[in-house]
Amino acid sequence: MLSHLLHLQGIESVVLESRSQEYIEQRVRAGVLEEGTADLMIESGVGARLQREGLIHHGIELRFGGAGHRIDFADLTGGKSITVYAQHEVIKDLVAARAAAGGKIFFEAEAVSVHDLDTQPKIRFQHGGATETLDCDFIAGCDGFHGICRNAIPPEVLRIHERVYPFAWLGILAKVKPASDELIYTYHDRGFSLLSMRSPEISRLYLQCDPDENIAEWSDDRIWTELRTRMATRDGWMLADGPILQKGITPMRSFVAEPMRHGKMFLLGDAAHIVPPTGAKGLNLAVADVRVLTRSLLDFYRHGATSGLDHYSDTCLRRVWKVQRFSWWMTSMLHRFPNEDSFQHQLHLAELDYVTSSRAQATALAENYVGLPFDEPYS
Ligand code: PHB
């Protein structure tokens, strides 16, 4: 996305992607776009398929105590919505746009090290069996939680804030029509579960499990039985099952590294921050970083102004911490914690009762879910 937006402003970039094109275009990841993320795709000319195939949702359901409660985003946020469109589809659209514009993307190019971050940055990378060096004005470290960029910041400068949760998500992709038109987040005595989707024929479902859960112990039948139990309502709602196409376990953590800039290197997305998936924010927060960096680089190349670049980390972190707060809150509200006593359990239920009965609290959830506003346009 950064490479695409920079190209639209006449700024050249080279993308080093450690995986193959096939891998990144198929790997199942997130699926919910904030309104601002979908708008940015559309405004920047990569939203045609999203507009055809994306599913626009105007609310979600919170389910607990055997009953569902709708949070009406459109009503609470002045007409805003979210779009269900898989992250790997976003990637396909962006790769196609870069390829059509003659953009440089090296696949299976593994960055090994970064150098001279204060003067003339260089990236050493391996590609096709050879080690090569890329000289650049700036490095955008979009290399994920396990990438090399964050750790190139000297340890005496880098600060880490972290929370690891005592549970994980077991996620499945199933060939069955979604049992609801909107996402359902369920709090149950046996743990959290979530019904999501990828298309009118494909469901995506998750259930809370132990972090060291062995996926081999989860037969398809056991997964469906557990999902059905957690999602059951008092009025007999039934979860339809179908063939499971894929299953996996996602650990849950909150993580922030600061500063998000060191010299002429900038960290974006998971390289700088991880959110637990409960608020569906990971991709959206990465795109928010992209907006800030695009704007800052534009100011630099157009006007020689460095203030955007100088404030990049502070600007991004203001949003990062608000989104961390929201993701932590959703996660805490909707999961069963190990050894949860009756006091904590009752607080969970009271919180859910409050969110679904107070317009003020429902609005707080809705405005975060559809995406907090941006201070500035991206260009
Ligand atoms: C998903 O569809 O993968 C999904 C949806 C909502 C979440 C997390 C994941 O909160």
Side-chain angles (χ1 to χ4, degrees):
M1 189 61 153
L2 178 65
S3 179
H4 168 63
L5 296 180
L6 290 175
H7 161 75
L8 295 181
Q9 304 294 340
I11 302 170
E12 211 187 315
S13 64
V14 176
V15 177
L16 302 178
E17 168 56 58
S18 64
R19 308 286 191 161
S20 67
Q21 181 173 355
E22 196 178 33
Y23 180 90
I24 64 167
E25 291 188 352
Q26 275 169 23
R27 183 178 173 205
V28 177
R29 305 201 70 196
V32 175
L33 307 187
E34 289 178 358
E35 183 157 296
T37 305
D39 286 349
L40 185 58
M41 295 218 19
I42 294 163
E43 283 161 24
S44 69
V46 289
R49 205 160 60 90
L50 168 106
Q51 284 179 294
R52 277 200 313 276
E53 297 173 19
L55 308 171
I56 295 183
H57 287 193
H58 295 284
I60 55 167
E61 181 181 321
L62 296 182
R63 189 173 282 190
F64 56 99
H69 307 261
R70 183 161 188 261
I71 304 287
D72 186 334
F73 295 158
D75 174 41
L76 295 164
T77 66
K80 292 213 164 71
S81 61
I82 52 161
T83 303
V84 174
Y85 188 66
Q87 179 167 330
H88 66 271
E89 304 296 345
V90 172
I91 288 175
K92 275 187 214 163
D93 297 339
L94 287 167
V95 168
R98 291 309 295 124
K104 294 195 201 83
I105 307 182
F106 291 96
F107 291 99
E108 297 176 75
E110 175 100 31
V112 182
S113 54
V114 291
H115 304 269
D116 305 328
L117 301 178
D118 287 321
T119 50
Q120 174 72 66
K122 291 175 192 56
I123 306 174
R124 282 170 60 77
F125 67 100
Q126 278 169 345
H127 187 236
T131 302
E132 305 196 33
T133 302
L134 185 65
D135 293 302
C136 27
D137 292 349
F138 299 102
I139 295 174
C142 310
D143 55 346
F145 186 66
H146 300 287
I148 59 162
C149 288
R150 185 178 63 251
N151 290 327
I153 300 179
E156 64 276 16
V157 177
L158 190 65
R159 269 164 299 159
I160 303 292
H161 311 272
E162 193 170 20
R163 184 69 92 245
V164 176
Y165 298 90
F167 38 74
W169 281 10
L170 191 163
I172 62 163
L173 200 64
K175 194 166 164 31
V176 57
K177 180 175 153 38
S180 159
D181 291 339
E182 293 181 340
L183 273 62
I184 304 175
Y185 289 81
T186 306
Y187 175 75
H188 187 272
D189 291 358
R190 296 176 63 85
F192 169 77
S193 65
L194 169 62
L195 174 112
S196 180
M197 62 212 65
R198 286 293 177 271
S199 73
E201 298 84 39
I202 303 283
S203 300
R204 176 87 171 138
L205 295 117
Y206 299 94
L207 56 87
Q208 174 184 349
C209 64
D210 286 338
D212 51 5
E213 196 78 52
N214 179 4
I215 190 95
E217 287 171 15
W218 284 85
S219 66
D220 291 8
D221 193 39
R222 182 175 171 206
I223 293 172
W224 284 119
T225 304
E226 190 62 37
L227 285 167
R228 251 197 306 274
T229 306
R230 295 186 192 187
M231 304 198 79
T233 62
R234 275 186 265 110
D235 61 10
W237 183 90
M238 264 308 265
L239 179 65
D241 61 20
I244 294 182
L245 306 172
Q246 203 185 74
K247 49 183 144 175
I249 293 191
T250 313
M252 308 271 280
R253 76 166 74 220
S254 300
F255 177 95
V256 179
E258 63 168 324
M260 288 172 59
R261 173 213 182 172
H262 186 71
K264 294 177 179 169
M265 180 182 75
F266 299 84
L267 301 180
L268 295 89
D270 287 9
H273 40 74
I274 299 281
V275 285
T278 325
K281 290 290 169 220
L283 173 154
N284 295 293
L285 198 51
V287 172
D289 296 342
V290 165
R291 295 173 87 108
V292 178
L293 189 57
T294 303
R295 161 113 223 160
S296 306
L297 288 172
L298 257 175
D299 280 351
F300 174 77
Y301 283 110
R302 270 198 203 145
H303 311 296
T306 58
S307 74
L309 296 173
D310 292 341
H311 294 119
Y312 170 80
S313 181
D314 291 341
T315 306
C316 289
L317 284 168
R318 275 190 72 199
R319 187 179 187 88
V320 166
W321 276 112
K322 277 181 279 196
V323 172
Q324 287 288 356
R325 187 207 66 82
F326 174 68
S327 304
W328 162 85
W329 174 70
M330 287 283 280
T331 302
S332 305
M333 174 169 72
L334 287 160
H335 289 75
R336 252 331 249 213
F337 283 71
N339 308 320
E340 189 170 306
D341 60 15
S342 65
F343 186 84
Q344 228 183 333
H345 180 54
Q346 292 301 330
L347 282 186
H348 269 142
L349 294 173
E351 177 113 46
L352 286 158
D353 187 8
Y354 182 44
V355 176
T356 52
S357 59
S358 152
R359 188 170 175 91
Q361 189 70 346
T363 305
L365 190 158
E367 72 176 353
N368 278 277
Y369 204 105
V370 300
L372 293 171
F374 291 97
D375 300 338
E376 293 187 87
Y378 77 92
S379 67

